[in-house]
Short mmCIF file of all heavy atoms in Angstrom, two decimals:
data_model
loop_
_atom_site.label_atom_id
_atom_site.label_comp_id
_atom_site.label_asym_id
_atom_site.label_seq_id
_atom_site.Cartn_x
_atom_site.Cartn_y
_atom_site.Cartn_z
N ILE A 1 -100.71 30.43 121.01
CA ILE A 1 -101.20 31.14 122.17
C ILE A 1 -101.73 32.50 121.86
O ILE A 1 -101.15 33.31 121.06
CB ILE A 1 -100.08 31.33 123.23
CG1 ILE A 1 -99.58 30.00 123.73
CG2 ILE A 1 -100.54 32.24 124.37
CD1 ILE A 1 -98.36 30.03 124.65
N GLY A 2 -102.97 32.76 122.25
CA GLY A 2 -103.66 34.04 121.98
C GLY A 2 -104.52 33.98 120.75
O GLY A 2 -105.26 35.00 120.45
N ASP A 3 -104.46 32.92 119.98
CA ASP A 3 -105.35 32.93 118.72
C ASP A 3 -106.72 32.43 119.13
O ASP A 3 -107.03 31.73 120.04
CB ASP A 3 -104.79 31.85 117.74
CG ASP A 3 -103.48 32.33 117.12
OD1 ASP A 3 -103.23 33.54 117.15
OD2 ASP A 3 -102.69 31.45 116.63
N VAL A 4 -107.66 33.01 118.34
CA VAL A 4 -109.08 32.64 118.33
C VAL A 4 -109.49 31.89 117.14
O VAL A 4 -109.20 32.27 116.01
CB VAL A 4 -109.97 33.92 118.56
CG1 VAL A 4 -111.43 33.56 118.46
CG2 VAL A 4 -109.75 34.59 119.86
N ILE A 5 -110.25 30.80 117.29
CA ILE A 5 -110.74 29.98 116.17
C ILE A 5 -112.18 29.98 116.23
O ILE A 5 -112.89 30.14 117.28
CB ILE A 5 -110.18 28.53 116.18
CG1 ILE A 5 -110.40 27.88 117.57
CG2 ILE A 5 -108.69 28.50 115.87
CD1 ILE A 5 -109.99 26.38 117.58
N PHE A 6 -112.83 29.81 115.02
CA PHE A 6 -114.35 29.72 114.95
C PHE A 6 -114.73 28.75 113.96
O PHE A 6 -114.23 28.69 112.78
CB PHE A 6 -114.74 31.13 114.48
CG PHE A 6 -116.27 31.18 114.13
CD1 PHE A 6 -117.21 30.97 115.23
CD2 PHE A 6 -116.75 31.36 112.86
CE1 PHE A 6 -118.52 31.02 114.92
CE2 PHE A 6 -118.09 31.35 112.58
CZ PHE A 6 -119.04 31.20 113.68
N PHE A 7 -115.68 27.80 114.34
CA PHE A 7 -116.22 26.79 113.48
C PHE A 7 -117.75 26.96 113.46
O PHE A 7 -118.46 26.73 114.48
CB PHE A 7 -115.92 25.44 114.01
CG PHE A 7 -114.40 25.17 114.21
CD1 PHE A 7 -113.86 24.79 115.46
CD2 PHE A 7 -113.49 25.27 113.15
CE1 PHE A 7 -112.50 24.59 115.64
CE2 PHE A 7 -112.21 24.97 113.31
CZ PHE A 7 -111.62 24.71 114.54
N PRO A 8 -118.24 27.44 112.27
CA PRO A 8 -119.79 27.51 112.22
C PRO A 8 -120.42 26.19 112.45
O PRO A 8 -119.90 25.10 112.17
CB PRO A 8 -119.91 28.03 110.75
CG PRO A 8 -118.62 28.54 110.36
CD PRO A 8 -117.63 27.73 111.01
N VAL A 9 -121.68 26.35 112.74
CA VAL A 9 -122.56 25.16 113.06
C VAL A 9 -122.62 24.23 111.86
O VAL A 9 -122.72 24.71 110.70
CB VAL A 9 -123.97 25.60 113.53
CG1 VAL A 9 -124.68 26.41 112.40
CG2 VAL A 9 -124.84 24.36 113.85
N GLY A 10 -122.43 22.94 112.05
CA GLY A 10 -122.51 22.02 110.95
C GLY A 10 -121.24 21.82 110.15
O GLY A 10 -121.19 21.04 109.23
N THR A 11 -120.13 22.57 110.52
CA THR A 11 -118.92 22.49 109.77
C THR A 11 -117.97 21.51 110.41
O THR A 11 -117.63 21.62 111.62
CB THR A 11 -118.23 23.86 109.79
OG1 THR A 11 -119.08 24.83 109.21
CG2 THR A 11 -116.95 23.83 109.02
N GLN A 12 -117.57 20.52 109.64
CA GLN A 12 -116.67 19.51 110.21
C GLN A 12 -115.26 20.07 110.44
O GLN A 12 -114.80 20.83 109.55
CB GLN A 12 -116.60 18.32 109.28
CG GLN A 12 -115.63 17.18 109.85
CD GLN A 12 -115.73 15.87 109.08
OE1 GLN A 12 -116.54 15.07 109.52
NE2 GLN A 12 -114.94 15.62 108.13
N HIS A 13 -114.67 19.84 111.56
CA HIS A 13 -113.39 20.37 111.86
C HIS A 13 -112.57 19.45 112.76
O HIS A 13 -113.08 18.52 113.31
CB HIS A 13 -113.50 21.83 112.60
CG HIS A 13 -114.41 21.72 113.81
ND1 HIS A 13 -115.77 21.72 113.71
CD2 HIS A 13 -114.13 21.60 115.11
CE1 HIS A 13 -116.23 21.65 114.97
NE2 HIS A 13 -115.29 21.55 115.79
N TYR A 14 -111.29 19.68 112.83
CA TYR A 14 -110.40 18.90 113.73
C TYR A 14 -109.30 19.72 114.21
O TYR A 14 -109.05 20.85 113.66
CB TYR A 14 -109.85 17.65 112.99
CG TYR A 14 -109.01 18.01 111.80
CD1 TYR A 14 -107.60 18.33 111.92
CD2 TYR A 14 -109.51 18.05 110.55
CE1 TYR A 14 -106.75 18.58 110.96
CE2 TYR A 14 -108.74 18.38 109.43
CZ TYR A 14 -107.31 18.61 109.59
OH TYR A 14 -106.57 18.98 108.58
N ILE A 15 -108.64 19.36 115.28
CA ILE A 15 -107.54 20.10 115.91
C ILE A 15 -106.48 19.01 116.30
O ILE A 15 -106.83 18.03 116.88
CB ILE A 15 -107.92 20.86 117.14
CG1 ILE A 15 -109.09 21.90 116.73
CG2 ILE A 15 -106.76 21.68 117.67
CD1 ILE A 15 -109.59 22.65 117.91
N LYS A 16 -105.20 19.30 115.97
CA LYS A 16 -104.16 18.46 116.46
C LYS A 16 -103.04 19.27 117.08
O LYS A 16 -102.81 20.43 116.68
CB LYS A 16 -103.66 17.51 115.34
CG LYS A 16 -102.89 18.25 114.27
CD LYS A 16 -102.35 17.24 113.21
CE LYS A 16 -101.60 17.94 112.09
NZ LYS A 16 -101.03 17.00 111.08
N SER A 17 -102.31 18.68 118.05
CA SER A 17 -101.21 19.34 118.64
C SER A 17 -99.92 19.05 117.85
O SER A 17 -99.67 17.86 117.45
CB SER A 17 -101.10 18.84 120.11
OG SER A 17 -99.84 19.29 120.68
N ILE A 18 -99.11 20.07 117.68
CA ILE A 18 -97.91 19.85 116.91
C ILE A 18 -96.58 20.40 117.65
O ILE A 18 -95.56 20.45 117.09
CB ILE A 18 -97.95 20.61 115.50
CG1 ILE A 18 -98.19 22.13 115.71
CG2 ILE A 18 -99.00 19.98 114.59
CD1 ILE A 18 -98.17 22.90 114.34
N CYS A 19 -96.85 20.64 118.97
CA CYS A 19 -95.78 21.09 119.80
C CYS A 19 -95.33 19.98 120.75
O CYS A 19 -96.10 18.91 120.95
CB CYS A 19 -96.14 22.36 120.63
SG CYS A 19 -96.24 23.83 119.62
N ASP A 20 -94.23 20.11 121.49
CA ASP A 20 -93.74 19.20 122.50
C ASP A 20 -94.60 19.30 123.76
O ASP A 20 -94.80 18.33 124.46
CB ASP A 20 -92.33 19.47 122.95
CG ASP A 20 -91.28 19.14 121.78
OD1 ASP A 20 -91.70 18.31 120.92
OD2 ASP A 20 -90.18 19.74 121.73
N GLU A 21 -95.23 20.46 123.95
CA GLU A 21 -96.13 20.65 125.05
C GLU A 21 -97.55 20.48 124.77
O GLU A 21 -97.88 20.48 123.54
CB GLU A 21 -95.96 22.12 125.71
CG GLU A 21 -96.37 23.20 124.75
CD GLU A 21 -96.15 24.60 125.40
OE1 GLU A 21 -96.64 24.81 126.48
OE2 GLU A 21 -95.46 25.44 124.73
N ASP A 22 -98.45 20.29 125.69
CA ASP A 22 -99.87 20.06 125.45
C ASP A 22 -100.48 21.33 124.87
O ASP A 22 -100.09 22.43 125.20
CB ASP A 22 -100.61 19.76 126.79
CG ASP A 22 -100.17 18.35 127.28
OD1 ASP A 22 -99.47 17.58 126.57
OD2 ASP A 22 -100.41 18.04 128.52
N LEU A 23 -101.47 21.12 123.94
CA LEU A 23 -102.27 22.16 123.46
C LEU A 23 -103.43 22.36 124.34
O LEU A 23 -104.26 21.46 124.51
CB LEU A 23 -102.62 21.87 122.02
CG LEU A 23 -103.61 22.80 121.29
CD1 LEU A 23 -102.91 24.19 121.20
CD2 LEU A 23 -104.03 22.32 119.93
N LEU A 24 -103.63 23.61 124.79
CA LEU A 24 -104.83 23.84 125.76
C LEU A 24 -105.72 24.96 125.17
O LEU A 24 -105.12 26.01 124.67
CB LEU A 24 -104.34 24.24 127.18
CG LEU A 24 -103.50 23.23 127.89
CD1 LEU A 24 -103.06 23.84 129.19
CD2 LEU A 24 -104.35 21.97 128.15
N LEU A 25 -107.00 24.70 125.09
CA LEU A 25 -108.00 25.76 124.52
C LEU A 25 -109.17 25.88 125.57
O LEU A 25 -109.50 24.91 126.24
CB LEU A 25 -108.51 25.33 123.23
CG LEU A 25 -107.56 25.13 122.02
CD1 LEU A 25 -107.23 23.68 121.88
CD2 LEU A 25 -108.06 25.67 120.81
N VAL A 26 -109.69 27.12 125.56
CA VAL A 26 -111.02 27.33 126.17
C VAL A 26 -112.09 27.38 125.04
O VAL A 26 -111.82 28.22 124.17
CB VAL A 26 -110.99 28.62 127.08
CG1 VAL A 26 -112.37 28.86 127.67
CG2 VAL A 26 -109.89 28.51 128.08
N LEU A 27 -113.10 26.68 125.08
CA LEU A 27 -114.03 26.58 124.01
C LEU A 27 -115.44 27.08 124.40
O LEU A 27 -115.81 26.86 125.62
CB LEU A 27 -114.19 25.13 123.53
CG LEU A 27 -112.89 24.44 123.03
CD1 LEU A 27 -113.21 23.00 122.60
CD2 LEU A 27 -112.30 25.21 121.85
N ALA A 28 -116.16 27.68 123.61
CA ALA A 28 -117.49 28.07 123.82
C ALA A 28 -118.43 27.68 122.74
O ALA A 28 -118.12 27.83 121.52
CB ALA A 28 -117.56 29.62 124.02
N TYR A 29 -119.57 27.13 123.12
CA TYR A 29 -120.55 26.64 122.09
C TYR A 29 -121.80 27.37 122.30
O TYR A 29 -122.37 27.49 123.39
CB TYR A 29 -120.83 25.08 122.25
CG TYR A 29 -119.53 24.29 122.26
CD1 TYR A 29 -118.77 24.11 123.37
CD2 TYR A 29 -119.14 23.71 121.03
CE1 TYR A 29 -117.66 23.28 123.31
CE2 TYR A 29 -118.02 22.96 121.01
CZ TYR A 29 -117.33 22.74 122.10
OH TYR A 29 -116.14 21.96 122.07
N SER A 30 -122.42 27.94 121.21
CA SER A 30 -123.55 28.79 121.30
C SER A 30 -124.84 27.96 121.17
O SER A 30 -125.46 27.90 120.12
CB SER A 30 -123.54 29.87 120.16
OG SER A 30 -123.51 29.20 118.86
N THR A 31 -125.19 27.34 122.26
CA THR A 31 -126.42 26.67 122.33
C THR A 31 -127.08 26.68 123.66
O THR A 31 -126.39 26.60 124.67
CB THR A 31 -126.31 25.13 121.89
OG1 THR A 31 -127.50 24.46 122.03
CG2 THR A 31 -125.21 24.46 122.69
N GLY A 32 -128.42 26.88 123.69
CA GLY A 32 -129.08 26.84 125.02
C GLY A 32 -129.64 25.39 125.30
O GLY A 32 -130.36 25.27 126.28
N ASN A 33 -129.21 24.48 124.51
CA ASN A 33 -129.71 23.14 124.68
C ASN A 33 -128.41 22.21 124.87
O ASN A 33 -127.33 22.66 124.84
CB ASN A 33 -130.49 22.65 123.47
CG ASN A 33 -131.63 21.62 123.83
OD1 ASN A 33 -131.39 20.85 124.76
ND2 ASN A 33 -132.73 21.78 123.17
N GLU A 34 -128.72 20.89 125.07
CA GLU A 34 -127.63 19.97 125.20
C GLU A 34 -126.83 19.90 123.84
O GLU A 34 -127.44 19.78 122.80
CB GLU A 34 -128.05 18.60 125.61
CG GLU A 34 -126.95 17.61 125.81
CD GLU A 34 -127.40 16.31 126.57
OE1 GLU A 34 -128.54 16.37 127.05
OE2 GLU A 34 -126.65 15.41 126.52
N LEU A 35 -125.53 20.00 123.92
CA LEU A 35 -124.64 20.06 122.72
C LEU A 35 -124.76 18.69 121.93
O LEU A 35 -124.61 17.67 122.57
CB LEU A 35 -123.29 20.33 123.06
CG LEU A 35 -122.21 20.51 121.94
CD1 LEU A 35 -122.58 21.70 121.03
CD2 LEU A 35 -120.83 20.65 122.47
N GLU A 36 -125.00 18.78 120.61
CA GLU A 36 -125.13 17.53 119.83
C GLU A 36 -123.92 17.50 118.84
O GLU A 36 -123.77 18.36 117.98
CB GLU A 36 -126.44 17.55 119.07
CG GLU A 36 -127.66 17.51 120.05
CD GLU A 36 -128.99 17.65 119.26
OE1 GLU A 36 -128.97 17.79 118.04
OE2 GLU A 36 -130.04 17.48 119.88
N THR A 37 -123.18 16.49 119.02
CA THR A 37 -121.92 16.28 118.22
C THR A 37 -121.81 14.96 117.51
O THR A 37 -122.28 13.96 118.08
CB THR A 37 -120.69 16.43 119.19
OG1 THR A 37 -120.74 17.76 119.78
CG2 THR A 37 -119.39 16.33 118.43
N LEU A 38 -121.39 14.95 116.37
CA LEU A 38 -121.19 13.73 115.60
C LEU A 38 -119.73 13.67 115.13
O LEU A 38 -119.25 14.56 114.46
CB LEU A 38 -122.04 13.54 114.40
CG LEU A 38 -121.97 12.23 113.54
CD1 LEU A 38 -122.29 11.05 114.52
CD2 LEU A 38 -122.89 12.25 112.42
N ARG A 39 -119.02 12.62 115.51
CA ARG A 39 -117.60 12.50 115.19
C ARG A 39 -117.40 11.45 113.96
O ARG A 39 -118.25 10.61 113.77
CB ARG A 39 -116.80 11.98 116.45
CG ARG A 39 -116.67 13.04 117.50
CD ARG A 39 -116.03 12.54 118.73
NE ARG A 39 -115.86 13.74 119.71
CZ ARG A 39 -116.75 14.12 120.54
NH1 ARG A 39 -117.96 13.56 120.51
NH2 ARG A 39 -116.56 15.12 121.31
N MET A 40 -116.26 11.64 113.38
CA MET A 40 -116.00 10.87 112.14
C MET A 40 -116.13 9.35 112.53
O MET A 40 -116.66 8.55 111.74
CB MET A 40 -114.62 11.17 111.68
CG MET A 40 -114.27 10.52 110.30
SD MET A 40 -112.69 11.08 109.67
CE MET A 40 -113.03 11.14 107.90
N LYS A 41 -115.52 8.94 113.69
CA LYS A 41 -115.56 7.56 114.08
C LYS A 41 -116.97 7.11 114.20
O LYS A 41 -117.30 5.99 113.84
CB LYS A 41 -114.79 7.41 115.35
CG LYS A 41 -114.75 6.05 115.96
CD LYS A 41 -114.00 5.91 117.22
CE LYS A 41 -113.90 4.53 117.79
NZ LYS A 41 -113.14 4.49 119.01
N GLY A 42 -117.87 8.05 114.75
CA GLY A 42 -119.24 7.61 114.97
C GLY A 42 -120.03 7.41 113.67
O GLY A 42 -120.73 6.43 113.58
N TYR A 43 -119.84 8.35 112.70
CA TYR A 43 -120.63 8.21 111.45
C TYR A 43 -120.10 7.03 110.54
O TYR A 43 -120.85 6.52 109.78
CB TYR A 43 -120.98 9.46 110.74
CG TYR A 43 -119.79 10.30 110.22
CD1 TYR A 43 -119.05 9.90 109.05
CD2 TYR A 43 -119.50 11.57 110.76
CE1 TYR A 43 -118.06 10.62 108.57
CE2 TYR A 43 -118.39 12.30 110.25
CZ TYR A 43 -117.72 11.87 109.18
OH TYR A 43 -116.67 12.63 108.63
N PHE A 44 -118.78 6.78 110.65
CA PHE A 44 -118.21 5.62 109.86
C PHE A 44 -118.77 4.34 110.48
O PHE A 44 -119.27 3.46 109.75
CB PHE A 44 -116.71 5.66 109.84
CG PHE A 44 -116.17 6.08 108.52
CD1 PHE A 44 -116.15 7.48 108.16
CD2 PHE A 44 -115.60 5.15 107.67
CE1 PHE A 44 -115.64 7.83 106.97
CE2 PHE A 44 -115.04 5.60 106.48
CZ PHE A 44 -115.09 6.92 106.12
N HIS A 45 -118.71 4.21 111.73
CA HIS A 45 -119.22 2.99 112.36
C HIS A 45 -120.72 2.87 112.30
O HIS A 45 -121.26 1.78 112.36
CB HIS A 45 -118.76 2.91 113.94
CG HIS A 45 -117.28 2.63 114.09
ND1 HIS A 45 -116.68 2.45 115.30
CD2 HIS A 45 -116.34 2.41 113.18
CE1 HIS A 45 -115.41 2.19 115.16
NE2 HIS A 45 -115.21 2.20 113.84
N GLY A 46 -121.42 4.00 112.18
CA GLY A 46 -122.87 4.04 112.15
C GLY A 46 -123.42 3.75 110.75
O GLY A 46 -124.64 3.66 110.54
N THR A 47 -122.53 3.71 109.76
CA THR A 47 -122.92 3.49 108.38
C THR A 47 -122.74 2.03 107.99
O THR A 47 -121.67 1.52 108.19
CB THR A 47 -122.15 4.39 107.39
OG1 THR A 47 -122.35 5.82 107.79
CG2 THR A 47 -122.65 4.28 105.99
#
C-alpha cells in the first residue's frame, strides 16, 4: 500500500498477489491512442 511502480514502454512485466486479501492498483498509461498490449499467452500462441 502506497507504493508506486513504473514500467517503461516495451518492457515486459508481471504482477502477482501474495497476500490473503486482493491486490488493488490504480494504473495510468501515457498514450493518446488506443492502448496496445501483447501478453505472453498471446505471443506464444501466435508463434
Side-chain angles (χ1 to χ4, degrees):
I1 297 173
D3 289 340
V4 171
I5 53 177
F6 174 67
F7 304 121
V9 60
T11 302
Q12 182 167 271
H13 55 278
Y14 62 85
I15 304 173
K16 66 177 181 178
S17 173
I18 58 175
C19 286
D20 292 335
E21 62 180 309
D22 295 343
L23 175 63
L24 298 176
L25 300 99
V26 180
L27 304 175
Y29 303 89
S30 59
T31 176
N33 212 325
E34 184 168 348
L35 184 65
E36 297 177 354
T37 300
L38 183 60
R39 292 176 172 81
M40 188 177 218
K41 181 178 179 180
Y43 62 73
F44 255 74
H45 286 184
T47 303

